[in-house]
Amino acid sequence: MKLLLVEDEEELASIIAKGLRKSGYAIDHAYDGEEALYLYEVNEYDLIILDVNLPKFDGLEVLNRIRNQDSFVKVLILSARSDVDDRVTGLDSGANDYLVKPFDFKELEARIRMLLRRSFIQTATVLACGDLTLHTVSKTVYYHESLLPLTKKEYAVLEYLFHNKNTVVSSEQIIEHVWDSEVDLFSNSLKYHIHSIKKKMYDSGYDVEYIKNIRGQGYILMEDDHGTAE
Ligand code: CA
């Protein structure tokens, strides 16, 4: 999942970005409203974390401009305790949630998870595909009872495939949603990640080809269609 963080307080921004990257999210960071709108135009984000008081355009102006063209992307506003009016205006302008500063990082993460689940119209925190289960809170994947020893990026790739289960997604789409924008990733290195995920599944006793490579189109995570894997 790729997030755009718009926050001009450098220290706070770097703490948030560091924490979220540690949890496996791809993060782009904008320091002001203008940069936020630019990044929003050229990239695809699953969620935007938007501070209200920003240089150039403030957060509410950014929100209005985004909502003029996109009612789908999830927006979480960050506001100072005193700015009650800003929060109300923000929600009225189409923010999906808000958090008052200072906040606990765990709470920020919980709200992000909730908004991302909502944007994929999923209410469960555990997603299943045949005998594979993906736990979005602990960010772990199990095959039967065995924990797959995935890296954060491998988990993120698999989570994106789970959210798009039974749908072919292109390499570009996966890269767009899993890696930060400044990373120049080629589809070959995505191929390497997918290969590594599959190998870890095989090593855990997996004998069903859940992830299929559709030549020229991309990848698909599919439920086993010929009975249970024994
Ligand atoms: Ca600010």
Side-chain angles (χ1 to χ4, degrees):
M1 302 288 117
K2 185 149 82 179
L3 279 49
L4 173 61
L5 169 65
V6 190
E7 171 60 72
D8 60 320
E9 288 163 51
E10 292 201 23
E11 199 179 337
L12 178 62
S14 87
I15 291 169
I16 296 175
K18 206 172 153 195
L20 291 175
R21 286 201 180 105
K22 215 169 156 188
S23 297
Y25 295 104
I27 307 289
D28 286 353
H29 177 218
Y31 285 97
D32 60 56
E34 195 177 69
E35 194 184 8
L37 287 169
Y38 171 74
L39 288 174
Y40 168 76
E41 289 295 333
V42 297
N43 298 297
E44 225 177 280
Y45 296 105
D46 299 296
L47 186 142
I48 299 173
I49 302 167
L50 183 60
D51 182 31
V52 173
N53 294 312
L54 291 169
K56 303 201 180 165
F57 308 121
D58 72 16
L60 297 175
E61 175 69 25
V62 173
L63 177 62
N64 277 325
R65 294 197 187 195
I66 289 173
R67 280 292 176 251
N68 276 341
Q69 43 182 305
D70 182 347
S71 54
F72 182 75
V73 67
K74 296 291 180 232
V75 178
L76 169 70
I77 330 185
L78 303 179
S79 74
R81 188 168 297 281
S82 53
D83 301 334
V84 179
D85 288 348
D86 285 349
R87 290 203 290 281
V88 173
T89 313
L91 291 172
D92 284 345
S93 316
N96 301 94
D97 200 357
Y98 70 85
L99 205 50
V100 175
K101 291 178 183 177
F103 50 80
D104 192 280
F105 184 75
K106 279 188 189 139
E107 185 175 5
L108 174 66
E109 266 207 294
R111 282 169 191 257
I112 290 171
R113 277 198 302 273
M114 182 195 71
L115 289 173
L116 290 175
R117 282 206 302 278
R118 247 200 260 159
S119 71
F120 288 96
I121 321 168
Q122 262 148 2
T123 50
T125 56
V126 178
L127 310 178
C129 178
D131 295 318
L132 280 180
T133 48
L134 179 134
H135 301 250
T136 58
V137 176
S138 56
K139 299 193 179 295
T140 50
V141 180
Y142 287 82
Y143 174 66
H144 287 297
E145 302 291 297
S146 23
L147 173 69
L148 299 182
L150 301 175
T151 65
K152 276 175 198 135
K153 278 298 171 209
E154 288 165 0
Y155 170 85
V157 169
L158 205 46
E159 186 186 42
Y160 189 73
L161 291 172
F162 261 87
H163 281 303
N164 293 282
K165 196 170 83 176
N166 299 327
T167 310
V168 179
V169 287
S170 68
S171 301
E172 293 74 24
Q173 253 176 301
I174 299 173
I175 291 167
E176 179 82 15
H177 286 267
V178 173
W179 275 268
D180 300 356
S181 299
E182 62 265 31
V183 177
D184 232 336
L185 195 90
F186 297 101
S187 54
N188 263 347
S189 75
L190 174 64
K191 209 184 270 177
Y192 169 79
H193 279 81
I194 300 262
H195 175 78
S196 170
I197 294 169
K198 285 187 172 186
K199 185 175 181 311
K200 287 174 182 179
M201 287 176 172
Y202 279 114
D203 291 347
S204 302
Y206 150 116
D207 51 7
V208 182
E209 190 105 39
Y210 287 112
I211 303 174
K212 292 190 175 75
N213 184 1
I214 311 290
R215 196 170 283 278
Q217 291 185 60
Y219 298 93
I220 183 167
L221 177 76
M222 276 179 80
E223 296 263 14
D224 174 29
D225 50 7
H226 35 269
T228 52
E230 285 304 335

